[in-house]
Structure formats: structure tokens, C-alpha cells
Amino acid sequence: MRSTCGTERSGGDDLTTRARIRDAAVARFAREGFHRTTMRAVAADAGVSPGLLIHHFGSKDGLRRQCDEYVLAWFVQRARAEASTDGLREVIASFVADPAATRVPMDYMARAVTEGTPTGAGFIDTMITETEQYVHAGVADGTLRPVDDARATAVVMAMGSLAMLLLPDQIARTLGEPAFGPTVLRRLTGPLLQLYTEGLYTDETVRRITEDSLAALDGAGSHGTEAGPEGSTR
Amino acid sequence: MRSTCGTERSGGDDLTTRARIRDAAVARFAREGFHRTTMRAVAADAGVSPGLLIHHFGSKDGLRRQCDEYVLAWFVQRARAEASTDGLREVIASFVADPAATRVPMDYMARAVTEGTPTGAGFIDTMITETEQYVHAGVADGTLRPVDDARATAVVMAMGSLAMLLLPDQIARTLGEPAFGPTVLRRLTGPLLQLYTEGLYTDETVRRITEDSLAALDGAGSHGTEAGPEGSTR
DNA sequence: TAGCGTACTGAACATGCGTTCAACATGCGG
DNA sequence: CCGCATGTTGAACGCATGTTCAGTACGCTA
């Protein structure tokens, strides 16, 4: 083990070999997913031999664990920065300056989520729990309307951000933009603000109809479909 | 080639061998993704030898193409069914009766989307384009409020459904439910209806602040960050 | 300078993969 | 009965992968 464990930033060219390998692995995992990236490809990207990856990380899974930890730390640091006004401004500025750079940890986390790793699951959990706290606080101070089910509301709110994390390229493509950058974010901001401040339906019709239908389903299904059709064939 | 090409349903036990292989492959691809499922595993599931898969589908990629086509047809048929009231009722009923059955094509399409296959991209495109048409129609007949950017609004609306397609298990877990079923859908419906009929913010503050900040960014960044920081390092 | 531990190499190994192929079964038209 | 096309098998092939290991280079301590 070395004393410079895990705290090197990946900016300059004078990185530890270990850090260079880790950066190469993060990039590959982000771009191609864990299963498709080969140790040899990572080694080649880092300019070392395949054996060295084993020497430093024990196995491919060990390498993944280190990458998970590193990317998670990136997100934590970023979230902390976003808390302050100046930090947020800086985060936005860096994204505007070079959207592609932000994409690497983003895509990595997207892979972690879709591949169902513990890191991805934990990321979603904290994301939704923090959104839930925001909902509670907002309702308490009158910023947000009262909600029935704060947790479910948080899930609905978070799903939008999650989709942006998971499908940036698809979103950019359907908007006819060349890549996911400030322009795309700009176009999504308007509709999102409209939705959250005044909704989209002009009246209560859809809400009433849907809730009536659900109530009717409850009435009709009360003879056998009531509690726990979940996981019947699982 | 055979005359019974592609139109067998996968309900009974008297399936063509070809269809049995296809069904086994769809299930495996849905559960584990394309890259992780092996031809041997599919062959074992279908009760045949590995060589037969090649005989029928030419290659693993050929098998995937057939599966894509089959699942896409399932979605088209389902969308058609949802158009009529009775059909919709039936779709809902079948989902309530056995949510797990619906999950196979859903998970398959989720894989297709996250793995970036043409099928997945096409699915998203049609989904968003149809949402956009719904927005146009709704604005025209007064059901929906007027929107600035119908396409972007459609993207925002579709992202919620997309997240439900991609992360059903994660959503169920964060809601403390054992599986993604009617109960989860029920809990999400309330917040979604609230959001779409009245919004969540109690006033215009957030909208005004955000739009002012964006305008300020435009003013400050007009000396070099205006057109096309997209894909600068790509 | 000798000794030693650590970083590092690259050939080799074992395994699992997609695919090939020779062989067999079966049914059908002549 | 023959001949042939088709469905099916299972052993084998070639290749790519993760991992091992013997060996080299190098810097440090004594």
C-alpha cells in the first residue's frame, strides 16, 4: 500500500500509475460498461501491462470497487459544492465550459445504476431520501403545496433527474441537439418550471376521472385482488 | 425459412422449437442483458443444443434481431390495445393479475434502451413523438396549458415513464414495496396527478429566480460562451 | 556494494465464449 | 426403396478474457 491512497485528483499529467489506471478504468466503465471493458483495454489506455492492474487492484472486481469509491466521492464533493451559491455557480460554469468532462462520472454512475450494483442502489437511495427531506422542508415553510405521500412525491421528482442521468444522449437526440449540454438543459428548464409551478392540465378533469376509476377498481376488485397481488409468481 | 414466421404467441406449451428458443432468449436478455447471456444458457433454457441456435438464427446477433422484432411487436400491439377503453381495462387487469409477466418485455426494452441499440432508440423516439402529438392536441383543445416548446415538454413528460421502465425495482425498493406492482403504481399516481394539475410550488418564486439567473448567465457569458460549447472536447 | 522490497513486464495458463462441422434422425416426393 | 432437404446433436475449434508467475528494473537502507 502507498501513502498517497485515493486522494489524488485526476487533472494533471503527473499522476500515480495507480491513479492513471483508475482514471482509465473509470472512463472505460463509463463508456462501455463493466462487462464489456477488458483489463487489457484499460491497461493499454493507462500505458501499462495487464499484470499491473492485478498487482494494484487484485482483480477486475477490485478495480471496480476502487472506481466506485472514487466516483461516489466525486458526487459527494459536487453535492457539497452545490450547497453554497458560489459553489453552485462554479459547478454550472464548469459544466458550461466543458460538458463532456462532467459526463464521465455521470455515465459511470448511470452504468452503476442500470447494472444494479450496490453503489448505484445507494446513490438512488440517498438521492430520493434527500429529495424527500426537501419536500418535507418545502411543505413546512410553505414553498411547496402539501402532499399526501412525501416519499412517493420525492420519487416522482427524482425520476426526472434520474432519466437525465441515464439517457442524456437519447434526450439530446430527440431534441435534435448534437450533444447533451447547456442548450439541452436550457430547453428542459422551461417545461420543468412550468410543470412545477402551475402544472399542465387546465382543470381537475383528468385528476377526477383517474381517481374515480381507481376507486371503481377498488370496489370491483375487493373480492380477491385486494392485498398483495405483488410478487405472486416470483 | 418457415411459413410460421414470427406470429406464434408464447402462451401454450406446443411452441415451435424456434419460438421456444426465442422466448428463452428474450427472457435471458431481459434479465441479464445481451452481453452477459450465453448461447449455451439460452439453449439449455429452451432444452436444445447450442448448435441449433446458430442453425435457426445464424448468430447471436441474429437471435437478438429476432427478439427485438418480437418485443417491439408486443409493445405495438399493447399500445393499440390501450387506445380503446375496453382494451385499456384489459391491459390493466392483466397487469394487476400478474405484474411479473409484463415485466419480461418491459425489462427487455429497458435493456435495449440502456445498451443503446437501434431498437431502443426507435422506441424512445416514437414514445416522445407520440407524447408531443398529445401535447399539441391537448393545447389545441384546451386540456393542456399552452406550452413554449412542445417537444421539450414531451421529453419532460416522457422521462417519468422512461424512468419507470428503466428502474422499476429501484423505485419499488425506495418505496419500501416488495416488487413493482399495482401498489407502487397507485402510490405514484397521486403525486403525478397533483404535479400535473396544480404543480408543486405554491407561487412563482422559483420560476422567477431561475429564469432571472439564466438571463444573467446569458448576459455575462455573451463574450465567448454563446454558440456551440457543445462537444468541444469530443 | 550487497540486499531487499516494491513497481512493473510479458509470456503463459485455464476457462468460457461464439461458432463450425460431421454425423444422425426424420419425413416426404419419386 | 432411394434421395434429399430439414431439424437436431454434441464434440471440436479458435479466440478473447481474467489471472498467474517467473523474471527484470530500480530505489532505498545498511
Side-chain angles (χ1 to χ4, degrees):
Chain A
M1 286 297 164
R2 298 184 88 257
S3 57
T4 53
C5 220
T7 12
E8 323 90 346
R9 255 162 297 123
S10 44
D13 220 22
D14 53 347
L15 286 168
T16 323
T17 310
R18 228 184 109 94
R20 231 178 333 122
I21 295 172
R22 189 240 298 128
D23 285 357
V26 167
R28 280 266 175 190
F29 289 158
R31 196 162 357 112
E32 309 175 359
F34 177 73
H35 220 77
R36 282 153 103 133
T37 74
T38 69
M39 296 289 266
R40 285 174 229 267
V42 173
D45 288 353
V48 298
S49 70
L52 194 58
L53 306 212
I54 300 292
H55 175 71
H56 277 306
F57 300 95
S59 68
K60 193 183 180 185
D61 225 69
L63 178 57
R64 193 235 287 264
R65 273 191 295 275
Q66 291 291 319
C67 292
D68 278 15
E69 194 179 310
Y70 181 74
V71 172
L72 204 56
W74 183 90
F75 271 93
V76 169
Q77 176 189 330
R78 189 184 150 101
R80 290 228 182 91
E82 281 173 352
S84 79
T85 318
D86 285 359
L88 179 59
R89 201 179 306 274
E90 204 170 322
V91 166
I92 293 175
S94 79
F95 175 74
V96 171
D98 183 8
T102 312
R103 280 292 300 276
V104 175
M106 290 279 187
D107 288 351
Y108 186 98
M109 191 53 80
R111 294 284 184 188
V113 167
T114 57
E115 287 171 5
T117 72
T119 302
F123 177 78
I124 287 192
D125 285 353
T126 55
M127 191 170 172
I128 286 181
T129 298
E130 278 179 12
T131 308
E132 189 186 2
Q133 285 166 2
Y134 169 79
V135 170
H136 276 129
V139 171
D141 71 9
T143 313
L144 299 183
R145 307 183 114 92
V147 298
D148 269 355
D149 185 340
R151 186 77 175 175
T153 303
V155 169
V156 167
M157 294 175 73
M159 283 193 312
S161 318
L162 242 14
M164 282 192 346
L165 178 80
L166 297 178
L167 308 167
D169 292 327
Q170 316 259 17
I171 290 174
R173 200 194 56 246
T174 56
L175 286 179
E177 305 286 348
F180 190 88
T183 313
V184 171
L185 240 39
R186 204 74 147 230
R187 284 187 65 185
L188 295 180
T189 305
L192 273 170
L193 285 173
Q194 181 179 23
L195 181 61
Y196 276 82
T197 69
E198 58 182 28
L200 269 173
Y201 297 137
T202 46
D203 57 27
E204 299 268 335
T205 323
V206 176
R207 168 140 71 166
R208 224 185 37 244
I209 290 179
T210 310
E211 278 173 353
D212 287 356
S213 306
L214 286 179
L217 259 177
D218 274 345
S222 62
H223 43 69
T225 335
E226 190 166 13
E230 313 284 43
S232 47
T233 50
R234 274 257 152 142
Chain B
M1 289 293 169
R2 300 185 85 255
S3 56
T4 53
C5 221
T7 11
E8 322 91 345
R9 256 162 295 124
S10 45
D13 219 22
D14 54 345
L15 287 167
T16 323
T17 309
R18 228 184 109 93
R20 231 179 331 124
I21 295 172
R22 190 236 302 125
D23 285 357
V26 167
R28 281 267 175 189
F29 289 158
R31 196 161 358 112
E32 309 175 359
F34 177 73
H35 213 252
R36 281 153 103 133
T37 75
T38 69
M39 295 290 265
R40 286 173 228 268
V42 174
D45 289 352
V48 298
S49 71
L52 194 58
L53 307 211
I54 300 293
H55 175 69
H56 277 305
F57 299 95
S59 68
K60 193 183 179 185
D61 224 69
L63 178 57
R64 192 234 286 264
R65 272 193 295 275
Q66 291 291 318
C67 292
D68 278 14
E69 194 179 308
Y70 181 73
V71 172
L72 205 56
W74 183 89
F75 271 93
V76 169
Q77 176 188 330
R78 188 183 151 100
R80 290 228 182 92
E82 282 173 352
S84 79
T85 318
D86 286 358
L88 178 59
R89 201 180 307 273
E90 205 170 322
V91 166
I92 293 175
S94 78
F95 175 74
V96 172
D98 182 9
T102 311
R103 281 293 300 275
V104 175
M106 291 280 187
D107 288 351
Y108 186 97
M109 191 53 79
R111 294 284 184 188
V113 167
T114 56
E115 286 170 7
T117 71
T119 302
F123 178 77
I124 287 193
D125 285 353
T126 54
M127 191 170 174
I128 286 181
T129 299
E130 279 179 13
T131 306
E132 188 186 4
Q133 285 167 0
Y134 168 80
V135 170
H136 277 129
V139 171
D141 72 10
T143 311
L144 299 183
R145 307 183 113 91
V147 299
D148 269 355
D149 184 340
R151 186 78 176 176
T153 304
V155 169
V156 167
M157 294 176 73
M159 282 193 312
S161 318
L162 241 16
M164 281 193 345
L165 178 79
L166 298 178
L167 308 167
D169 292 327
Q170 316 258 19
I171 290 173
R173 198 194 58 246
T174 55
L175 287 178
E177 306 284 349
F180 189 87
T183 312
V184 171
L185 241 39
R186 204 73 147 235
R187 284 187 67 185
L188 295 179
T189 306
L192 273 171
L193 285 173
Q194 181 180 24
L195 181 61
Y196 276 81
T197 69
E198 58 182 28
L200 268 172
Y201 297 138
T202 46
D203 58 27
E204 301 267 336
T205 323
V206 176
R207 168 140 69 166
R208 224 185 37 244
I209 290 179
T210 309
E211 278 172 353
D212 287 353
S213 305
L214 286 179
L217 258 176
D218 274 346
S222 63
H223 44 70
T225 334
E226 189 166 15
E230 312 284 42
S232 46
T233 50
R234 272 258 153 136

